[in-house]
């Protein structure tokens, strides 16, 4: 089963128009199911998501929370239970590399008495500063041509297969400095889509936390991420996930919130909004966008 087919199911629908009701027919709709993320047997989060790329979602979520620093921290990522059992595929277990203890209290300490999220990076947070704590400023250096950002949402549309069938999912993609796709994902939740895309890069070694190698000896990926492009608006938590992954540019189809702009300014992220038809607005760090 392909990635897009796994996230789609069929339901009967009756379509109405000025002429009246049409005959019932099957329609494609996005699947919504819970995913429980466990670390060493402890439940860390439960999120409503579109099935598919669950390993990437779990890894991306733990990475954005500051629990994982790189693929080197991972021992395994597997589903709990057995195929055919009720609920199989909706609980995923992350185990650390031998000799490593993952600090799951980073999540429980930052959230208000609940382990449940709903594809939201801010929901349940005690303070905005809890989110800032896992953000390291993105250093200057990587320069992108404005055309890369201008056409970023076109690259996103190219991979929105589930959206084309259902109209009911968000998408996120990570591009390199030349605008080529590095990773992409679709999900009912914008934040899940970002976690899936970032998790893909974490698993491949293409993204590491800035604190992953204090000695500075971490190998630089051949094609470092340049742009995180998202459907919908750019919210605080989207910028936060980009900052943790050290992605220097966030490009959104729609608007940005005030907190997203403030965080982008503080974390060194270039924030571009209303990226459509070759035009866009930049709120922070516009000097990163120039011809290399």
């Amino acid at each position: 089963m392909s990635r897009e087919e796994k996230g789609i199911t069929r339901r009967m629908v009756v379509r109405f128009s000025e002429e009246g009701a049409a005959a019932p027919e099957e329609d494609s709709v996005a699947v919504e199911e819970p995913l429980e993320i466990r670390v060493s047997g402890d439940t860390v989060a439960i999120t409503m998501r579109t099935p598919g790329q669950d390993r990437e979602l779990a890894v991306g979520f733990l990475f954005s929370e500051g629990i994982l620093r790189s693929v080197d921290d991972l021992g395994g990522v597997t589903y709990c239970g057995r195929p055919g059992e009720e609920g199989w595929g909706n609980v995923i277990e992350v185990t650390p590399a031998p000799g490593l203890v993952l600090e799951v209290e980073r999540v429980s300490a930052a959230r208000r008495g609940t382990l449940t999220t709903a594809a939201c990076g801010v929901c349940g947070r005690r303070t905005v500063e809890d989110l800032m704590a896992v953000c390291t400023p993105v250093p200057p250096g990587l320069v992108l041509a404005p055309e890369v950002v201008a056409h970023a949402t076109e690259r996103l549309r190219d991979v929105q297969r589930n959206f084309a069938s259902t109209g009911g999912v968000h998408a996120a993609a990570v591009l390199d400095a030349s605008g080529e796709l590095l990773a992409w994902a679709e999900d009912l939740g914008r934040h899940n889509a970002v976690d899936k895309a970032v998790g893909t890069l974490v698993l491949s070694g293409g993204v590491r936390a800035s604190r992953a190698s204090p000695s500075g000896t971490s190998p630089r990926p051949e094609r470092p991420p340049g742009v995180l492009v998202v459907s919908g608006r750019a919210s605080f938590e989207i910028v936060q996930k980009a900052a943790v992954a050290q992605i220097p540019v966030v490009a959104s189809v729609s608007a940005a919130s005030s907190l997203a702009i403030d965080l982008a300014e503080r974390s060194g992220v270039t924030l571009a909004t209303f990226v459509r038809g070759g035009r866009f607005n930049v709120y922070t760090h516009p000097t990163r966008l120039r011809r290399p």
Side-chain angles (χ1 to χ4, degrees), residues 136-140 243 247-249 262-271 284-285 288:
T136 300
V138 179
I247 301 175
V249 179
D262 293 345
L263 176 60
E265 181 63 41
R266 291 178 60 178
S267 60
V269 170
T270 300
L271 179 57
T284 59
H285 304 286
R288 182 176 278 119

Side-chain angles (χ1 to χ4, degrees), residues 161-187:
R161 300 183 182 93
N162 281 9
F163 178 81
S165 298
T166 68
V169 292
H170 284 285
V174 181
L175 314 179
D176 66 13
S178 64
E180 296 301 313
L181 284 163
L182 295 175
W184 66 91
E186 290 183 281
D187 198 277

Side-chain angles (χ1 to χ4, degrees), residues 3 13 33 37 51 63 108 110 151 157-158 184 199 202 246 253:
R3 181 193 300 181
V13 64
E33 292 180 356
I37 300 171
F63 181 84
S108 57
H151 298 293
R157 283 196 298 270
D158 291 341
W184 66 91
V202 173
Q246 296 287 282
V253 174

Side-chain angles (χ1 to χ4, degrees), residues 20 44 82 89 103 109 123 125 129 154 187 192 202 217 239 264 281:
V44 175
R82 298 178 180 177
E103 301 175 13
C123 297
R125 291 283 184 175
E129 293 304 317
E154 297 172 17
D187 198 277
N192 284 344
V202 173
T217 58
V239 175
N281 303 328

Side-chain angles (χ1 to χ4, degrees), residues 35-39 43-47 54-68 94 104 106-108 111 114-123 125 134 191-192 194-200 202 240-241 244:
L35 179 69
E36 180 180 346
I37 300 171
R38 297 178 182 174
V39 174
T43 299
V44 175
I46 302 171
T47 184
D54 289 336
R55 293 178 71 251
E56 291 81 358
L57 171 56
V59 169
F61 171 79
L62 295 175
F63 181 84
S64 71
E65 293 290 331
I67 296 173
L68 287 176
V94 178
V104 296
R106 285 179 178 273
V107 175
S108 57
R111 296 180 185 271
T114 176
L115 296 172
T116 303
T117 71
C120 178
V122 166
C123 297
R125 291 283 184 175
V134 294
H191 315 95
N192 284 344
V194 173
D195 283 340
K196 287 178 177 181
V198 171
T200 298
V202 173
Q240 180 250 338
K241 291 176 185 294
V244 173

Side-chain angles (χ1 to χ4, degrees), residues 206-274:
V207 161
R208 304 170 68 92
S210 57
R211 61 191 177 88
S213 178
S215 64
T217 58
S218 293
R220 182 177 174 83
E222 268 185 45
R223 297 166 62 199
V227 183
L228 171 65
V229 52
V230 294
S231 62
R233 64 186 176 87
S235 57
F236 183 97
E237 51 268 43
I238 298 298
V239 175
Q240 180 250 338
K241 291 176 185 294
V244 173
Q246 296 287 282
I247 301 175
V249 179
V250 171
S252 67
V253 174
S254 189
S257 68
S258 61
L259 277 179
I261 296 169
D262 293 345
L263 176 60
E265 181 63 41
R266 291 178 60 178
S267 60
V269 170
T270 300
L271 179 57
T273 64
F274 295 110

